[in-house]
Amino acid sequence: MIRCLTIGLAIALLLAPSLAAADDETRPGGAATSKGPRNRSAFSNPSGNMSFERQLDFKVGDGVFRKLWVAAPASTRSSDGLGPLFNARACQACHLKDGRGRPPAAGETPASLLFALGSADGKPDPVYGGQLQTFGIQGHAAEASLQIEYQPLPVTLADGETITLRRPVYHFSDFAYGAIDTATRFSPRIAPPMIGVGLLELILEADILARADPDDRDNDGIRGITRKVWSAAEQREMLGRFGWKNGAATIADQTANAFFNDMGLSTDLHRDGFGDCTPAQAACRSAPHGVEAADDVEVPRKLFDLTVFYARNLAVPTRENSRAADVQRGQKLFGGIGCAACHVPRQVTGSHPDRPELSNQVIWPYTDLLLHDMGDDLADGGKDGRLWRTPPLWGLGLTKRVNDHEFMLHDGRADGILEAILWHGGEAAAARQRVIGLSKPDRAALLSFLNSL
């Protein structure tokens, strides 16, 4: 009997580390959490459980992600076809070091801040299409110029400290292809961090749907709405989960959209070599394209698949100081304030035969992947303007270290975590007021927790 108990205890002790590791929040990506240090390259590491052979594909995909595309025709095969109108020459130009984009500095042409175009009912502009392109190859004028001014908006906290928020006002000029439609709205979009997107892609659709509460049946003031979108990659309607408005269902869809709209590059999923140019932009449509004969697109399938593989496997960094007393106190405040109602801490990924690194992982992304009403202050004027996807918070505290800035929210208006919280409205208005009412030590503890992610 004693021998059986001893064997049982030994087995339990052997199993305990693995069981603990499965729910270990210090490794927010589960076994796929990055093995790299939390330094300036912390967002650029592969899934921590990836085999050496697959790491070679990851590195080649990294090369495609960094590739600078050029106008066609060019001697550099599989690198030409840029534009003719575009926002960036490389994926990395928007996702700086695989992290967060930023608004342009004074006098700078925006690259990682884009503007979606559309009427209130979602129709693209008849001349300028679905996205404003602020660069053009030689002989093709950029669609428009932009200047940003910021209006101060002071917010006084309960302890008397005043935080001055910045409300952006956009001024567009020099429209090169005629007048823009009076019904067109401009919707700013900052490039979000890339880490962990492959894990988010494998969260079971049923788990996301289970958290949706569009009619607020539980009367907690938090709704959560899903959006169905067409997936060109899967050729069927699916749950949207990527982009600020959940406009893409898969990473392949999101990648193809970026090649097409941001760089004017064709793929198997969007085969027009002129990108977002409309019939009203005849010169753009008739310009030379960089089509590869083998694939009849500018981004051959192999390069496209390597880019998607790279994006899927950008690993989430480890947590920092997660067991410190102020961090743990801040985590309790985070839940008590109500932030975790949308920024859901824990999720579980499903299984996919081609993605062993990402399958069956307990992860801590702090998102429900749902759309929420964030109030008038953050509304962008477009269709469903008040609705925004809950962004994941993992890696939040590394923004300054990786990207040399802390501009947050969909348009980069918030300079730091506290400002981002103070812009919350709509369903998050009550939680915002609780943050305003915190004592200075409690507010510091909350920020210590968020910076530990």
Side-chain angles (χ1 to χ4, degrees):
M1 179 69 173
I2 294 175
R3 184 171 181 272
C4 290
L5 288 173
T6 303
I7 293 173
L9 179 61
I11 292 172
L13 290 172
L14 285 171
L15 290 176
S18 61
L19 292 173
D23 247 353
D24 181 6
E25 198 175 344
T26 64
R27 302 169 67 219
T33 302
S34 170
K35 291 182 177 178
R38 288 171 61 96
N39 58 17
R40 284 182 56 81
S41 298
F43 291 170
S44 300
N45 296 309
S47 298
N49 54 350
M50 182 178 286
S51 68
F52 177 76
E53 292 78 13
R54 285 167 70 85
Q55 285 185 43
L56 295 178
D57 284 342
F58 180 86
K59 290 175 181 177
V60 177
D62 184 15
V64 182
F65 201 79
R66 296 169 183 268
K67 177 200 286 280
L68 292 174
W69 295 83
V70 299
S75 59
T76 52
R77 289 176 58 82
S78 297
S79 292
D80 64 342
L82 178 70
L85 302 176
F86 62 98
N87 294 105
R89 292 181 57 200
C91 304
Q92 279 277 358
C94 290
H95 300 278
L96 310 172
K97 296 182 72 65
D98 304 300
R100 194 182 304 270
R102 60 173 177 81
E108 184 181 33
T109 302
S112 55
L113 174 66
L114 310 176
F115 286 86
L117 303 177
S119 61
D121 58 0
K123 294 179 181 178
D125 186 85
V127 173
Y128 292 90
Q131 184 168 304
L132 193 71
Q133 277 83 33
T134 48
F135 292 94
I137 64 173
Q138 186 173 2
H140 296 264
E143 290 186 323
S145 300
L146 165 71
Q147 288 185 323
I148 308 176
E149 66 172 306
Y150 291 98
Q151 299 173 344
L153 181 64
V155 177
T156 302
L157 307 179
D159 62 2
E161 182 180 350
T162 297
I163 305 296
T164 301
L165 306 181
R166 312 177 310 157
R167 184 189 301 278
V169 179
Y170 303 105
H171 302 283
F172 298 92
S173 59
D174 304 322
F175 287 100
Y177 301 91
I180 197 161
D181 194 283
T182 56
T184 295
R185 319 287 179 89
F186 296 83
S187 303
R189 302 282 188 273
I190 284 284
M194 298 286 293
I195 55 171
V197 294
L199 293 164
L200 300 179
E201 190 177 31
L202 284 190
I203 295 174
L204 295 178
E205 185 171 304
D207 290 347
I208 299 172
L209 292 172
R211 295 186 183 279
D213 188 16
D215 300 318
D216 194 19
R217 294 184 303 274
D218 56 8
N219 295 311
D220 65 350
I222 305 299
R223 298 179 185 274
I225 297 171
T226 59
R227 179 183 178 188
K228 289 282 190 175
V229 297
W230 177 256
S231 169
E234 298 294 331
Q235 287 295 295
R236 59 188 175 94
E237 193 177 63
M238 295 177 65
L239 197 68
R241 61 179 78 194
F242 296 109
W244 287 101
K245 299 282 189 178
N246 275 349
T250 70
I251 297 170
D253 288 305
Q254 185 78 343
T255 302
N257 291 343
F259 274 129
F260 183 78
N261 290 305
D262 303 351
M263 291 182 276
L265 294 167
S266 57
T267 64
D268 278 350
L269 304 188
H270 294 295
R271 303 189 69 85
D272 291 327
F274 46 75
D276 187 43
C277 294
T278 68
Q281 297 167 314
C284 176
R285 287 204 164 204
S286 61
H289 307 311
V291 171
E292 286 290 312
D295 294 73
D296 199 32
V297 292
E298 291 163 324
V299 184
R301 188 75 205 197
K302 186 170 181 61
L303 294 188
F304 178 79
D305 288 345
L306 286 166
T307 307
V308 172
F309 181 81
Y310 174 74
R312 277 195 177 120
N313 283 286
L314 282 165
V316 182
T318 56
R319 284 278 304 278
E320 188 170 60
N321 301 323
S322 62
R323 294 189 172 91
D326 61 332
V327 170
Q328 293 192 347
R329 185 158 67 93
Q331 186 165 9
K332 291 179 181 177
L333 287 166
F334 183 85
I337 288 166
C339 305
C342 301
H343 291 283
V344 174
R346 182 183 184 275
Q347 300 278 4
V348 179
T349 67
S351 180
H352 194 289
D354 298 328
R355 304 172 206 170
E357 301 87 358
L358 311 175
S359 295
N360 305 314
Q361 299 297 324
V362 175
I363 60 174
W364 301 84
Y366 286 84
T367 178
D368 58 6
L369 292 181
L370 295 172
L371 297 171
H372 291 275
D373 182 341
M374 297 300 291
D376 287 332
D377 281 339
L378 290 180
D380 66 356
K383 185 181 181 182
D384 300 325
R386 292 165 58 108
L387 296 179
W388 299 97
R389 183 194 74 153
T390 306
L393 299 183
W394 47 19
L396 187 66
L398 281 165
T399 301
K400 180 75 171 178
R401 201 175 301 177
V402 172
N403 293 134
D404 295 323
H405 71 79
E406 291 184 287
F407 297 121
M408 297 179 184
L409 298 180
H410 67 280
D411 53 8
R413 70 175 66 188
D415 190 1
I417 296 171
L418 181 57
E419 287 192 18
I421 294 171
L422 295 177
W423 275 111
H424 282 48
E427 295 173 40
R432 172 185 182 270
Q433 286 304 120
R434 295 185 192 110
V435 172
I436 289 175
L438 290 176
S439 67
K440 193 164 189 173
D442 280 349
R443 190 165 66 247
L446 176 65
L447 294 176
S448 291
F449 161 66
L450 291 169
N451 276 302
S452 78
L453 296 175

